[in-house]
Amino acid sequence: MVETILIIVAVLAVFGVIAAGRSVRVVQQFEQGIVFWFGRIQSPPRGAGRTMIRPAGDRMQKVNMQIIATEVPAQDGITKDNVTVRVDAVACFRVVDPVKATVNVQNYLFAVSQQAQTSCG
Protein backbone atom coordinates (compact mmCIF):
# COMPACT_ATOMS: atom_id res chain seq x y z
CA MET A 1 0.00 0.00 0.00
CA VAL A 2 2.79 2.42 0.93
CA GLU A 3 4.71 1.51 -2.22
CA THR A 4 1.68 2.30 -4.37
CA ILE A 5 1.29 5.71 -2.75
CA LEU A 6 5.00 6.46 -3.27
CA ILE A 7 4.73 5.50 -6.95
CA ILE A 8 1.69 7.76 -7.40
CA VAL A 9 3.44 10.66 -5.65
CA ALA A 10 6.56 10.15 -7.81
CA VAL A 11 4.48 10.12 -11.01
CA LEU A 12 2.64 13.28 -9.94
CA ALA A 13 5.97 14.95 -9.10
CA VAL A 14 7.33 14.10 -12.55
CA PHE A 15 4.21 15.52 -14.21
CA GLY A 16 4.53 18.64 -12.04
CA VAL A 17 8.13 19.19 -13.13
CA ILE A 18 7.18 18.70 -16.78
CA ALA A 19 4.27 21.17 -16.44
CA ALA A 20 6.52 23.74 -14.75
CA GLY A 21 9.11 23.36 -17.50
CA ARG A 22 6.48 23.87 -20.21
CA SER A 23 5.12 27.00 -18.55
CA VAL A 24 8.37 29.02 -18.39
CA ARG A 25 9.17 31.10 -21.47
CA VAL A 26 11.97 33.58 -22.12
CA VAL A 27 11.25 36.72 -24.14
CA GLN A 28 14.35 38.43 -25.52
CA GLN A 29 14.98 42.16 -25.14
CA PHE A 30 14.05 42.88 -28.77
CA GLU A 31 10.81 40.83 -28.73
CA GLN A 32 7.30 41.06 -27.39
CA GLY A 33 5.37 37.95 -26.38
CA ILE A 34 1.71 37.68 -27.34
CA VAL A 35 -0.10 35.15 -25.14
CA PHE A 36 -3.19 33.41 -26.49
CA TRP A 37 -5.42 31.68 -23.95
CA PHE A 38 -7.62 29.25 -25.92
CA GLY A 39 -7.41 31.65 -28.88
CA ARG A 40 -8.07 34.90 -27.02
CA ILE A 41 -5.33 37.48 -26.58
CA GLN A 42 -4.21 38.12 -23.03
CA SER A 43 -3.21 41.77 -22.82
CA PRO A 44 -0.80 43.46 -22.47
CA PRO A 45 1.99 41.79 -24.47
CA ARG A 46 4.74 40.28 -22.34
CA GLY A 47 8.00 42.19 -22.26
CA ALA A 48 11.59 41.05 -21.96
CA GLY A 49 12.59 38.44 -19.41
CA ARG A 50 11.17 35.22 -18.05
CA THR A 51 7.43 34.85 -18.14
CA MET A 52 5.01 32.17 -17.00
CA ILE A 53 2.15 30.81 -19.06
CA ARG A 54 -0.42 28.14 -18.29
CA PRO A 55 0.88 24.83 -19.67
CA ALA A 56 -2.55 23.58 -20.76
CA GLY A 57 -4.38 26.41 -22.51
CA ASP A 58 -1.82 29.10 -23.30
CA ARG A 59 0.28 29.57 -26.41
CA MET A 60 2.88 32.31 -26.81
CA GLN A 61 3.92 33.87 -30.10
CA LYS A 62 6.97 36.11 -30.11
CA VAL A 63 7.12 39.17 -32.38
CA ASN A 64 10.44 40.76 -33.35
CA MET A 65 10.36 44.50 -32.66
CA GLN A 66 13.67 45.31 -34.39
CA ILE A 67 13.98 47.20 -37.64
CA ILE A 68 13.90 44.59 -40.41
CA ALA A 69 15.43 45.14 -43.84
CA THR A 70 13.95 43.00 -46.58
CA GLU A 71 15.11 42.88 -50.16
CA VAL A 72 12.66 43.67 -52.93
CA PRO A 73 13.35 41.61 -56.07
CA ALA A 74 14.70 43.56 -59.05
CA GLN A 75 12.08 44.74 -61.53
CA ASP A 76 12.42 45.90 -65.09
CA GLY A 77 10.49 48.81 -66.50
CA ILE A 78 10.29 51.16 -69.45
CA THR A 79 10.17 54.92 -69.06
CA LYS A 80 8.08 57.32 -71.16
CA ASP A 81 10.98 57.84 -73.57
CA ASN A 82 11.45 54.05 -74.12
CA VAL A 83 14.50 53.62 -71.90
CA THR A 84 14.77 50.28 -70.15
CA VAL A 85 15.43 50.58 -66.41
CA ARG A 86 16.09 48.00 -63.72
CA VAL A 87 15.12 48.89 -60.17
CA ASP A 88 16.60 47.25 -57.07
CA ALA A 89 15.25 48.16 -53.67
CA VAL A 90 15.40 47.41 -49.97
CA ALA A 91 12.43 47.98 -47.68
CA CYS A 92 13.02 48.74 -44.00
CA PHE A 93 10.23 48.44 -41.46
CA ARG A 94 9.55 47.70 -37.81
CA VAL A 95 6.50 46.48 -35.94
CA VAL A 96 4.86 49.16 -33.82
CA ASP A 97 1.89 47.18 -32.47
CA PRO A 98 2.69 43.46 -32.05
CA VAL A 99 -0.96 42.51 -31.42
CA LYS A 100 -2.16 44.02 -34.71
CA ALA A 101 0.78 42.53 -36.61
CA THR A 102 -0.06 39.09 -35.25
CA VAL A 103 -3.86 39.13 -35.35
CA ASN A 104 -4.77 41.31 -38.35
CA VAL A 105 -2.21 39.90 -40.82
CA GLN A 106 -1.57 36.20 -41.34
CA ASN A 107 2.14 36.60 -42.20
CA TYR A 108 3.21 40.22 -41.78
CA LEU A 109 6.76 39.66 -43.12
CA PHE A 110 5.40 38.31 -46.41
CA ALA A 111 2.72 41.04 -46.53
CA VAL A 112 5.29 43.81 -46.17
CA SER A 113 7.46 42.24 -48.87
CA GLN A 114 4.52 41.99 -51.28
CA GLN A 115 3.40 45.55 -50.50
CA ALA A 116 6.93 46.84 -51.18
CA GLN A 117 7.00 45.07 -54.56
CA THR A 118 3.67 46.51 -55.72
CA SER A 119 3.96 50.06 -54.37
CA CYS A 120 4.39 52.83 -56.87
CA GLY A 121 7.03 55.49 -56.25
Side-chain angles (χ1 to χ4, degrees):
M1 180 71 178
V2 175
E3 294 173 358
T4 307
I5 293 174
L6 287 177
I7 291 173
I8 291 172
V9 169
V11 168
L12 290 176
V14 168
F15 282 136
V17 169
I18 290 171
R22 288 179 46 94
S23 64
V24 175
R25 297 285 192 268
V26 176
V27 179
Q28 299 294 328
Q29 183 70 33
F30 54 88
E31 295 175 328
Q32 292 280 319
I34 309 297
V35 178
F36 294 94
W37 181 63
F38 292 113
R40 294 186 75 108
I41 293 177
Q42 300 297 306
S43 61
R46 307 283 173 94
R50 275 182 291 179
T51 186
M52 297 289 287
I53 62 172
R54 295 177 200 102
D58 283 357
R59 183 177 59 88
M60 178 182 277
Q61 183 172 351
K62 297 176 186 175
V63 179
N64 191 345
M65 302 296 287
Q66 293 175 320
I67 295 174
I68 300 171
T70 182
E71 183 180 357
V72 179
Q75 297 181 3
D76 293 325
I78 298 177
T79 62
K80 289 182 182 179
D81 53 351
N82 289 330
V83 176
T84 304
V85 293
R86 183 173 184 92
V87 178
D88 293 321
V90 173
C92 295
F93 68 95
R94 74 179 177 95
V95 175
V96 176
D97 188 356
V99 174
K100 287 184 179 179
T102 304
V103 174
N104 293 348
V105 182
Q106 185 175 17
N107 184 351
Y108 70 91
L109 294 171
F110 180 72
V112 168
S113 174
Q114 293 299 308
Q115 182 68 30
Q117 289 179 35
T118 58
S119 292
C120 299

